[in-house]
Amino acid sequence: MHSAVFLIEFGAIILGLGLLGRFAARFSFSPIPLYLLAGLAFGNGGLLPLGASEEFVAIGAEIGVILLLLMLGLEYTASDLVSNLKTQYPAGLVDFTLNALPGAAAALLLGWGPVAAVVLAGVTWISSSGVIAKVLGDLGRLGNRETPVILSILVLEDLSMAVYLPIVTALLAGVGLAAGSVTLAIALGVAGLVLFVALRYGRLISRFVSSDDPEKLLLVVLGLTLLVAGVAQQLQVSAAVGAFLVGIALSGEVAEGAHTLLSPLRDLFAAVFFVFFGLHTDPASIPPVILPALALAIVTALTKIATGYWAARRAGIGAKGRWRAGGTLVARGEFSIVIAGLAVSAGVQPQMGPFATAYVLVLVVIGPLTARFTEPIAAHLTRRRGTPTTPATGDGAVLAESAADLPKAGSDDVEAGSGASGRA
């Protein structure tokens, strides 16, 4: 009887997620807010709380986080990451300063304490790679000159997770300074070792994993990822970081084949993860935090726009491209929820879950809108002030404001493309 109830509940969840995904695709927006709302509807205090399938959903949510980070790692090679660190680290520092500090300040102002401040700093810092990649594709901007700048910032954020997550894990576990330092040292050592091995022996690793049989390739890659993630978690590093490093170590045809095979699994379990986060958030706890979450969302939307504008200007992009870069970076999503989920699981701050849910819901909805309309609005305001919309920053910067102009641009294109990365 219990088995029948489990199948009914879990089948209804998967079917509902599929219908919500189709609905979101019809109107060209991210399904993440719908998945979160579905979790709220069927969680504690929701319309129809689930019981039999909750444990399985929790396991599926953990696998979802691992697959999200694995797929992210597959997008980049070790050489990409090293190149981005060398050329784009100033943009990464500006991104951290402008977007992490408001979250930390908000947590302290709300009286949540220093540990919650570190967690909320990560929630407001990391943009949603998944949502942004979809928006760039939907708007036809994958070939734009500002796109490599956007990707570089996302890569630096993703790489920073390898350092940030162990710190958060140690803080949430309540370990002392010495133990926390050891955890961080282990994480940095493992990350450095994996990058070194991936650079030096990446082809050998890929050749070992490679298989012409899709079934065998799927089993080997997935099994290796879960194994490494488990070992990483046992070392108090982070299962997500372990999965991310496995993705980096794979390259070439293996990475492309694994990406194709694992994409459906990633989408399934990632959707389950968002539902699981919503299941553990009481809808009644959201109204008390909606105003501060909305205020923080507005502030950090503006700081992300400033980050993208500064980074694009540094790369020699014209004014229109700068505004497009800033508006595109606004969306938060999967990693903000992952970080908040760690705090919720540790029981650090009861209001962190509702606050993060409201915050992400706001920004994942307005993110595609800022990507589309920030540049036109800025151009309109600039015209009203009677100043030109595109400064004289070189012929290449003026000519190559769109993908169509990209092949005709001059030396500015080389500068803007120096931060391009990833296999996507």
Side-chain angles (χ1 to χ4, degrees), residues 320 323 373-384 387 389:
K320 292 182 179 180
W323 288 115
F373 296 113
T374 296
E375 184 265 317
I377 292 174
H380 175 71
L381 294 176
T382 304
R383 283 195 299 268
R384 289 189 62 180
T387 57
T389 58

Side-chain angles (χ1 to χ4, degrees), residues 100-184:
L101 293 184
L108 294 176
L109 289 174
L110 291 169
W112 290 355
V115 174
V118 175
V119 174
L120 195 56
V123 171
T124 59
W125 173 23
I126 306 296
S127 296
S128 171
S129 301
V131 173
I132 290 172
K134 187 177 188 306
V135 168
L136 288 172
D138 292 342
L139 297 179
R141 295 181 182 175
L142 292 175
N144 278 28
R145 291 186 64 242
E146 73 273 6
T147 298
V149 176
I150 296 170
L151 294 177
S152 295
I153 292 175
L154 294 178
V155 171
L156 289 170
E157 289 181 350
D158 299 336
L159 184 59
S160 300
M161 294 283 282
V163 178
Y164 174 78
L165 285 178
I167 294 175
V168 171
T169 303
L171 289 174
L172 293 177
V175 300
L177 179 61
S181 300
V182 171
T183 299
L184 179 58

Side-chain angles (χ1 to χ4, degrees), residues 17 68 136 197 253 288 301 325 362 378 418 420:
L17 293 176
L68 278 171
L136 288 172
V197 171
E253 294 182 0
V362 171
S418 62

